[in-house]
Amino acid sequence: MKEIKVAESAGFCFGVKRSVEMAEKLLEEKGTCLSYGELIHNEDVVTELKRRGLRIAASPEDIREGESVIIRAHGVPEATVKALEAAGANLFDATCPKVKHIHKIVRAAAEEGSAVLVIGMKNHPEVEAICGWCGECYTVENPQETETFLNEYPDFSSKPLCVVVQTTQTLGNFNNCIKIIKKRCTNAKIFDTICLATSTRQNEATELASACDAMVVIGGRHSANSVHLAEICREHCGNVQFVERAEELDLKVLADSSIIGITAGASTPSWIIKEVRNKMDELKVEESTVFEKAAEAAEETAEAVKETVTAAAEEAAEEVAEAAENVAEAAGEVAEEAAAAVEEAVETAAEEPAPKKPESDSFDAMLEETLKPIYNGDKVKGVVTGISSTEVTLDLGTKYTGFIPTTEFTDGGAKLEDAVKLGDEISAIVVRVNDVEGTAMLSKKRLDNIRFWDDLEAAAEEGGVVEGTVTEQNKGGVVVNVKGARVFVPASQTDLPREADLAELLKKTVHLKITEVNKARKRIVGSIRRAASAERHARAQELWENIEIGKKYHSVVKSLTSYGAFCELVPGIDGMVHVSELSWGRLRNPAEVVKVGDELDVYVIGFDKDKRRISLGYKDPEADPWKIFRSQYNVGDVASVKVVKLMQFGAFCEVVPGVDGLVHISQLADHRVAKVEDAVKVGDVVDAKIIAIDDDKQKISLSIRALLEGEPAPEEAEPEAEAEEEAAPEEA
Ligand code: F3S
């Protein structure tokens, strides 16, 4: 499972945001405006603004009288401001107040007769602008250049020197440079003018890169702060990708990383961060709370800025900026804090939650919904409005029309007419948004695939059981097809005995637990054994929870002993049918009626949950011979009985199958009988009168003599007969 962490500070800084919003506002009001140079170092944002009417002026000559011109966040030299004013430009100064503050520092230094040394990138617009607000100005990029500069201009060992640093420089580089300056110059005034937003972003990048296996830095190639971020990340992480947008992201490089960090330069908009993050969904990822916070915060911030803060925050920013600048003039270091306060004030304002959308389906709410942008990688839902042989068209409820080409519908390339109908609701992933055409190409199969892997991962995590068909057997085990995915089950996990032939599983439907999912390598491993064991456990538990006297089970005879048959009720749980419970007849051994492997319908006649013992009955209570006898005969009835056994004291006769009665020797005839065999023999069928029934002992007394004319009442013979019968051998 991969984890993605997005730096909370990733994305637009206050200054960049302010300049972009200024441009957006002007474009909205006037339909067109110019920026002096690229507004920010992000091609996508600038392209989008250009699409809305922004033009780029490279020099004051490009400007016509009265045109609105934005000075970008990096600022411009004083001479440029003057040239623009002279050209009749209607100026909108988006110079970041923090940069403006540096202008004031260097100007004051110049007025005091001090030279200025800027630590920063020589050709960077911000550095060029700073140099344009003072007189004698030099630039060094690193400690080596600082040494060279001081060697070249040894006078600065005592001459006044004002040192400032480009807002986006790293603290490390700045510290290394000033170490040299402090050592060699006695009259240097050093101002740490690194922007707080930059140092926060860099500190976070350091922490993140140290904790991650891979880092993705998003930013423009010409963006100094993004380049520095990538440098910082490379110092702490061996796998760093610097990309400008999602398409440049190489997922293969991230395949083996389990924790991936994302940070972004100050000129990277939240939607590009979101697209990069969405693309990573193709890797297996664990939702990161940091990301959620950062992405949502970025979204919310953007929304909030757009919807509520624009006017208020700008006013606040300008007012506070003014205040900060005044303070800066009074005391340089205090101004630094004031500038930070500016940022804080505006950022706090910007982070105010966006006003809640009206819950009703008001026209405004619906309009807002339709204007909502969608981005590559977003999950969307739409209603089918058209079906052709090549694509399905969807109403996404936004300004974009969605379409899913056949190839993106399912893996199998389903016939669209059969797969969907008009009005169906379909979810899909946005693959490509075309703003010019107002269309969004979607992929249902990619979403299905993501969900499928999600399901597998969830199954692996939660120990859930999936179903599949065994399609292949190989040296190490078998392959099970689970919804089109190949799941390998090692031989040891098949639940077959070691010596068994794995081929016997082929084409069988099996249940298995997913034990390993490696999406990057497309490897899924499962265990039939674990699923079977879990199933056994669950069934056993269910049995013990629900067992009750009389409950019936379909069982299989697993083993026989001389005293009973052990029957499996559910896998792993056996009960015993005592030999006496196997049949209504008399049995010497259970094997007379059942054998191992027989399937028996048994019922519970007793159980002990603690000792895990279950006694079972097999005889059908409805077939109880005594019941049958009692349903047919009463005392006084005459039955045709069969002599089954002769004893000294009388003859046992079968009245109904399984129920015998005794004809005492005294009841065999109307005269005295010396020996029982003198009157009847085994196998004879004779009529006998039922002269007594003992339901408790299930005994019957019969009399042939009672049927003979003029004979005395049978009751006289009963006590004697009973006593002898009690003394009869068991088998009688
Ligand atoms: Fe951004 Fe201004 Fe700092 S432009 S990086 S907030 S100096």
Side-chain angles (χ1 to χ4, degrees):
M1 178 65 71
K2 289 187 193 303
E3 189 184 351
I4 293 182
K5 297 180 171 188
V6 181
E8 286 187 56
S9 59
F12 275 3
C13 67
F14 148 71
V16 169
K17 201 189 303 173
R18 182 170 172 265
S19 65
V20 171
E21 283 163 12
M22 202 177 271
E24 284 176 339
K25 198 175 169 206
L26 275 174
L27 290 172
E28 214 175 285
E29 286 169 2
K30 301 180 187 297
T32 182
C33 68
L34 289 106
S35 80
Y36 194 74
E38 294 275 314
L39 186 67
I40 64 168
H41 280 144
N42 187 289
E43 216 181 293
D44 292 292
V45 175
V46 172
T47 305
E48 173 59 18
L49 290 171
K50 278 183 183 169
R51 194 183 66 76
R52 292 200 229 163
L54 181 78
R55 288 178 295 126
I56 313 288
S59 76
E61 286 82 63
D62 296 339
I63 290 145
R64 287 193 298 271
E65 177 86 32
E67 280 192 311
S68 301
V69 180
I70 302 171
I71 295 176
R72 57 188 174 173
H74 298 123
V76 290
E78 188 180 17
T80 306
V81 175
K82 287 190 171 149
L84 289 170
E85 282 170 350
N90 184 13
L91 284 185
F92 291 84
D93 192 357
T95 307
C96 177
K98 295 179 186 185
V99 176
K100 201 100 180 134
H101 168 56
I102 305 177
H103 295 173
K104 291 180 193 296
I105 292 174
V106 297
R107 157 156 285 200
E111 284 170 2
E112 283 169 14
S114 172
V116 171
L117 179 67
V118 185
I119 300 171
M121 294 165 84
K122 284 192 183 73
N123 299 320
H124 193 278
E126 180 191 328
V127 175
E128 286 176 345
I130 293 169
C131 291
W133 286 89
C134 54
E136 188 184 0
C137 188
Y138 305 90
T139 306
V140 291
E141 291 196 6
N142 50 45
Q144 293 74 25
E145 287 189 12
T146 309
E147 290 275 13
T148 309
F149 163 76
L150 291 176
N151 290 340
E152 230 174 280
Y153 301 95
D155 288 357
F156 284 118
S157 59
S158 56
K159 255 176 75 177
L161 184 65
C162 167
V163 182
V164 293
V165 56
Q166 187 183 352
T167 54
T168 51
Q169 280 287 302
T170 65
L171 190 61
N173 188 49
F174 173 64
N175 284 339
N176 290 336
C177 293
I178 60 167
K179 215 182 279 171
I180 297 164
I181 295 168
K182 279 181 180 169
K183 220 187 272 174
R184 296 185 54 176
C185 306
T186 51
N187 204 3
K189 270 189 182 172
I190 299 167
F191 295 86
D192 175 357
T193 50
I194 293 175
C195 167
L196 188 67
T198 302
S199 51
T200 302
R201 192 184 307 265
Q202 291 175 349
N203 289 341
E204 207 187 346
T206 304
E207 270 177 36
L208 204 55
S210 311
C212 293
D213 307 323
M215 282 297 296
V216 175
V217 180
I218 314 164
R221 300 261 173 261
H222 304 296
S223 157
N225 77 90
S226 305
V227 171
H228 289 319
L229 273 184
E231 283 167 5
I232 289 170
C233 290
R234 283 193 191 101
E235 283 169 23
H236 301 279
C237 177
N239 184 358
V240 178
Q241 277 195 68
F242 184 21
V243 299
E244 213 160 339
R245 55 185 71 88
E247 297 91 85
E248 292 174 13
L249 187 67
D250 186 353
L251 290 178
K252 283 197 273 331
V253 178
L254 304 174
D256 292 331
S257 307
S258 45
I259 307 176
I260 304 167
I262 299 178
T263 186
S267 47
T268 308
S270 61
W271 57 267
I272 291 188
I273 301 173
K274 193 172 180 198
E275 283 192 356
V276 170
R277 172 62 180 76
N278 281 345
K279 187 169 181 186
M280 285 189 186
D281 272 341
E282 290 172 32
L283 295 164
K284 191 174 37 164
V285 298
E286 183 176 79
E287 286 304 325
S288 157
T289 49
V290 180
F291 167 71
E292 289 302 338
K293 264 201 264 164
E296 277 167 22
E299 282 267 290
E300 273 175 21
T301 303
E303 283 299 312
V305 166
K306 231 178 224 167
E307 292 175 19
T308 61
V309 178
T310 308
E314 267 182 7
E315 270 177 39
E318 271 162 27
E319 277 171 31
V320 184
E322 270 301 308
E325 283 163 22
N326 293 339
V327 176
E329 278 173 10
E333 288 186 13
V334 177
E336 189 67 21
E337 286 168 24
V342 171
E343 184 185 4
E344 246 181 60
V346 175
E347 285 183 350
T348 307
E351 282 165 17
E352 285 291 319
K356 278 196 169 175
K357 280 190 200 163
E359 282 175 10
S360 68
D361 283 346
S362 69
F363 178 72
D364 282 353
M366 285 159 66
L367 188 63
E368 189 181 311
E369 193 61 25
T370 57
L371 293 176
K372 225 162 77 180
I374 54 176
Y375 304 112
N376 295 348
D378 277 358
K379 285 175 198 163
V380 291
K381 209 182 255 181
V383 175
V384 177
T385 53
I387 305 163
S388 74
S389 57
T390 54
E391 65 184 38
V392 172
T393 313
L394 301 178
D395 177 358
L396 300 177
T398 69
K399 59 183 173 177
Y400 302 94
T401 300
F403 70 96
I404 308 175
T406 320
T407 49
E408 291 297 330
F409 199 80
T410 58
D411 264 330
K415 208 173 162 200
L416 297 176
E417 293 91 328
D418 299 340
V420 281
K421 57 182 187 310
L422 293 176
D424 279 0
E425 201 175 65
I426 291 180
S427 295
I429 288 266
V430 178
V431 178
R432 198 178 313 130
V433 176
N434 187 325
D435 280 310
V436 180
E437 292 175 9
T439 58
M441 186 172 111
L442 314 172
S443 174
K444 177 178 168 295
K445 81 173 183 190
R446 291 190 205 186
L447 182 59
D448 290 346
N449 193 269
I450 289 170
R451 283 179 177 163
F452 171 70
W453 282 94
D454 286 350
D455 288 350
L456 279 182
E457 282 163 6
E461 253 178 41
E462 293 157 13
V465 173
V466 295
E467 191 180 86
T469 306
V470 181
T471 53
E472 278 173 49
Q473 172 209 350
N474 57 36
K475 232 164 110 190
V478 293
V479 175
V480 182
N481 181 316
V482 179
K483 291 184 186 167
R486 289 163 57 83
V487 181
F488 174 66
V489 178
S492 62
Q493 297 298 315
T494 56
D495 207 33
L496 288 181
R498 197 181 289 260
E499 62 284 355
D501 184 1
L502 296 178
E504 68 183 70
L505 283 174
L506 285 175
K507 295 188 182 160
K508 281 198 175 151
T509 299
V510 292
H511 290 122
L512 60 160
K513 280 199 172 201
I514 302 298
T515 52
E516 185 191 328
V517 179
N518 187 327
K519 190 174 169 188
R521 293 182 186 155
K522 298 262 184 270
R523 177 181 155 87
I524 314 165
V525 181
S527 169
I528 297 173
R529 189 161 67 89
R530 286 203 206 169
S533 159
E535 208 170 320
R536 279 195 288 272
H537 180 75
R539 291 185 66 182
Q541 204 169 345
E542 196 264 331
L543 179 139
W544 285 113
E545 275 168 14
N546 299 301
I547 194 165
E548 58 187 40
I549 303 292
K551 187 156 183 161
K552 290 180 182 165
Y553 291 92
H554 186 74
S555 70
V556 176
V557 178
K558 286 289 177 185
S559 62
L560 295 177
T561 65
S562 59
Y563 51 86
F566 286 88
C567 300
E568 187 178 66
L569 304 180
V570 295
I573 305 281
D574 293 347
M576 192 193 75
V577 188
H578 190 265
V579 65
S580 61
E581 294 297 332
L582 275 170
S583 167
W584 289 109
R586 291 192 178 87
L587 296 180
R588 286 173 197 278
N589 194 298
E592 290 173 38
V593 287
V594 290
K595 62 181 185 302
V596 172
D598 279 357
E599 293 184 18
L600 305 185
D601 286 321
V602 294
Y603 52 92
V604 178
I605 56 177
F607 61 88
D608 184 331
K609 283 188 181 178
D610 296 334
K611 292 180 180 161
R612 290 292 198 246
R613 280 190 194 149
I614 305 170
S615 300
L616 302 168
Y618 173 59
K619 298 184 296 191
D620 179 3
E622 293 309 308
D624 182 349
W626 187 258
K627 271 192 187 168
I628 294 170
F629 163 72
R630 290 303 275 129
S631 68
Q632 295 176 11
Y633 295 103
N634 275 313
V635 173
D637 288 347
V638 175
S640 176
V641 302
K642 185 180 176 183
V643 178
V644 291
K645 196 170 185 87
L646 302 182
M647 306 297 291
Q648 273 186 345
F649 53 83
F652 282 101
C653 303
E654 185 185 76
V655 185
V656 294
V659 178
D660 298 345
L662 174 67
V663 186
H664 191 261
I665 191 166
S666 62
Q667 298 298 319
L668 278 171
D670 55 355
H671 54 271
R672 188 173 185 283
V673 174
K675 287 185 180 164
V676 173
E677 52 269 38
D678 293 343
V680 289
K681 61 181 187 298
V682 171
D684 283 353
V685 176
V686 296
D687 282 347
K689 187 172 182 176
I690 298 170
I691 54 173
I693 298 173
D694 183 338
D695 282 311
D696 292 339
K697 293 180 181 170
Q698 296 195 351
K699 293 193 187 298
I700 307 163
S701 297
L702 301 169
S703 173
I704 297 170
R705 180 179 153 196
L707 297 178
L708 301 176
E709 216 176 40
E711 285 311 306
E715 286 79 25
E716 292 170 21
E718 224 175 302
E720 189 188 351
E722 191 173 317
E724 283 167 339
E725 192 185 341
E726 290 293 338
E730 184 65 23
E731 64 269 26

